[in-house]
Amino acid sequence: MKCARIGLIAAVISSAIAAPFVLAHGSTENASSKASPIYGVTMPEGYRQWQLIAPAVEGAPLNEIRAVLGNDIAIKAYKEGTLPFPDGTILTKLAWKHVQSPGFESASVPGAATTVQFMVKDSVKYKDSGGWGFGRFVNGQPVDEKQHQTCLGCHQSRVKDHDLVFTRWAP
C-alpha cells in the first residue's frame, strides 16, 4: 500500500509539473470569451509552472487525481501560515481521471484530464464572495454559470474557517 501511495504521489507531481495538460493552454487571446461566468476569472499565463501545494485523490463519483498549484503569493502564504490569504493569491487545481497503472497494478496514474480550476483572491473585486473569484475550465473554455454557482456555497459551508480554501500545505 505504501508503494502505491508513493507511486500515486510521484505520478501526480510529475504530471503537474511536466506533462502537457490537454484541457488548457493558458492562452490570453480573446480573454473575455474565456472568462468564467459570475466572477470573470481567466486562466493565468504560466500557471502550469507554479509550485505544487498538495496532491489529492477524490473518490466517487468523480474518481479523480488532483494537484493543487499556487502562484508565488500563495506559496509564501502557505509557508508562513498566513490567513486570510493575501490579495493576489491564485490557486489552481488540475484534475485527471484516476486510472490504474498499466505497468504496476497497485499504483494509480492520471488518466484523461477533466478540469482546471482557479481561485483568485481580490478582497475588493470579490467582496461579496469572501474575497475569492472562481473559475472552472474544460478544454480551455469556462463551464456554464450553473456550475460556477456551486463554488462559493460549497467553500462557505465546508472551509469557512480556512479562508474558503480546502487545500492544506503538503510538507
Side-chain angles (χ1 to χ4, degrees), residues 20-24 48 64 95-97 110-116 138-139:
F21 193 68
V22 298
L23 292 181
R48 285 301 303 250
E64 292 180 336
W96 304 266
K97 280 303 192 186
T114 58
T115 65
V116 59
V138 173
N139 295 325

Side-chain angles (χ1 to χ4, degrees), residues 39-88:
Y39 303 99
V41 170
T42 58
M43 297 169 51
E45 286 290 327
Y47 71 90
R48 285 301 303 250
Q49 284 72 50
W50 292 351
Q51 188 173 337
L52 179 71
I53 295 167
V57 176
E58 175 76 27
L62 296 177
N63 194 33
E64 292 180 336
I65 295 174
R66 298 172 173 186
V68 177
L69 312 177
N71 67 356
D72 290 341
I73 297 168
I75 298 303
K76 183 175 189 267
Y78 270 104
K79 287 181 176 179
E80 294 176 357
T82 303
L83 280 180
F85 287 89
D87 283 358

Side-chain angles (χ1 to χ4, degrees), residues 21-45 47 116-118 120 125-126 133-145 148:
F21 193 68
V22 298
L23 292 181
H25 304 287
S27 172
T28 57
E29 61 191 53
N30 199 6
S32 63
S33 68
K34 293 191 178 205
S36 68
I38 304 173
Y39 303 99
V41 170
T42 58
M43 297 169 51
E45 286 290 327
Y47 71 90
V116 59
Q117 299 178 31
F118 298 94
V120 177
K125 183 175 182 179
Y126 303 118
F134 299 88
R136 287 185 188 174
F137 299 82
V138 173
N139 295 325
Q141 298 298 317
V143 296
D144 62 33
E145 185 172 332
H148 280 88

